[in-house]
Amino acid sequence: MAESSYYAHSLPGRPVEDWQGLRYHLDAVAERAGGFAAEFDAAEWGRIAGSWHDVGKYSRAFQEYLRSASDPDSHCAEAHGRIDHSSVGAQHATESFGVPGHLLAFVIAGHHSGLLDARSDGPSLEKRLQKAIESWSAAPSDLLALNAPSFPPALSRAFGQRDGFSVSFFTRMIFSCLVDGDFLDTERFMNPDRSAGRATYPEGILGRMEEALDRFIGPVEDRRSGVCEARSDVRRACREAAALEQGFFSLTVPTGGGKTLSSLAFALRHAVAHGLSRIIYVVPFTTIIEQNAEVFRRVFADLRAEVGQDIVIEHHSNL
């Protein structure tokens, strides 16, 4: 079969000419996942994960499954069952790159089912790496012969310090990049209307958020009282600190001193100053998360109406 005869996704009831080519999908997911991972200096990792995540679909068995599953009159799909296409990329990653390949193997093997345990009595990466797989010799050689990814500074430190948590966290980040890249590209092909309807934030959204915060705070800062003046001093100090180099900062303010809005003022100005793309608040206790999220929604209510989408995304166990 020619490479152009291998497909990633079918469209039931439509001729194969309308299906999504496998190489096109792999390249598109590599581009998306690499772009996401570039945010934490790991673009190569994202691109490799995207390039190899569905390489098992180059097997004749999977292509036969795809064709039979798209034919409502065919019973072959039931006979074939679901064809494992993710173990192939995982095995190829470990054979190609050794230890770094194992991190990629977790990501690739789990991109549909979720991250596996390394070893377990149940499903595990160890079992997937030992699993007999369908022949996938049709995969293009240039797709498979990728260079090993370099270690970004954070991952190098984690290995040097034997910091298992950070290595695990890095793997989860790459996993997220791959899953999002795969889902979004598949949606773009399978459901182009919904894909086109996904909103994007306008250019300079963080700057507009800072302006919205200033408008929200303005009436409060006009009040003349000792507490309001103290809060203004705290916010002023936070905004001045925002111009400093990136790193760790601490803010110690008594209860009622305006930490919620002052920390937001710092975060917005710091993000704009350093070209960052998002602000993540991680705080203890669900009630505090809910309180902060509600305050932020009030701050950005008008801006949300302007851009037509949520400015604040809230995520916790009660949501």
Side-chain angles (χ1 to χ4, degrees), residues 1-232:
M1 293 172 61
E3 184 183 352
S4 59
S5 300
Y6 288 86
Y7 299 95
H9 301 105
S10 62
L11 291 172
R14 300 272 290 275
V16 294
E17 292 78 11
D18 293 342
W19 294 4
Q20 186 183 41
L22 178 52
R23 182 60 184 267
Y24 181 88
H25 174 64
L26 294 177
D27 289 345
V29 175
E31 183 68 22
R32 286 181 184 267
F36 294 147
E39 294 283 346
F40 50 100
D41 301 320
E44 295 173 277
W45 292 77
R47 283 194 291 268
I48 294 172
S51 295
W52 291 353
H53 79 289
D54 274 357
V55 76
K57 291 184 178 181
Y58 276 106
S59 72
R60 183 177 296 275
F62 184 87
Q63 294 301 311
E64 290 176 354
Y65 162 75
L66 203 62
R67 285 170 167 79
S68 60
S70 298
D71 181 359
D73 297 323
S74 174
H75 300 289
C76 295
E78 295 179 8
H80 278 89
R82 292 189 62 83
I83 305 297
D84 177 5
H85 63 274
S86 56
S87 294
V88 174
Q91 292 182 13
H92 182 64
T94 57
E95 293 166 1
S96 300
F97 301 148
V99 172
H102 277 77
L103 302 189
L104 286 166
F106 276 110
V107 171
I108 294 169
H111 76 271
H112 283 305
S113 58
L115 289 170
L116 295 162
D117 290 335
R119 293 177 178 175
S120 172
D121 291 337
S124 68
L125 182 64
E126 181 181 50
K127 292 176 182 175
R128 295 285 289 277
L129 294 179
Q130 296 173 351
K131 183 177 181 179
I133 53 178
E134 298 284 347
S135 172
W136 51 289
S137 58
S141 57
D142 68 303
L143 179 69
L144 303 178
L146 301 178
N147 294 325
S150 59
F151 278 33
L155 188 59
S156 293
R157 286 195 299 271
F159 270 102
Q161 298 169 2
R162 302 182 68 82
D163 180 0
F165 176 84
S166 293
V167 174
S168 172
F169 196 88
F170 176 84
T171 305
R172 290 174 184 276
M173 291 292 287
I174 300 297
F175 177 72
S176 177
C177 294
L178 175 59
V179 170
D180 277 5
D182 185 29
F183 181 92
L184 291 171
D185 185 68
T186 301
E187 179 187 64
R188 182 190 57 78
F189 174 73
M190 302 292 292
N191 195 337
D193 290 339
R194 185 166 70 176
S195 177
R198 286 189 176 274
T200 56
Y201 291 111
E203 189 73 23
I205 185 64
L206 290 175
R208 293 174 64 179
M209 290 169 67
E210 187 175 14
E211 293 170 359
L213 176 61
D214 289 340
R215 291 193 296 270
F216 184 86
I217 292 175
V220 178
E221 289 192 327
D222 288 341
R223 299 173 189 168
R224 294 292 179 264
S225 72
V227 172
C228 287
E229 290 179 2
R231 288 173 174 170
S232 295

Side-chain angles (χ1 to χ4, degrees), residues 288-301:
I288 300 176
I289 298 175
E290 292 172 331
Q291 290 168 11
N292 280 10
E294 182 57 33
V295 170
F296 297 158
R297 286 197 184 92
R298 291 202 303 271
V299 171
F300 302 123

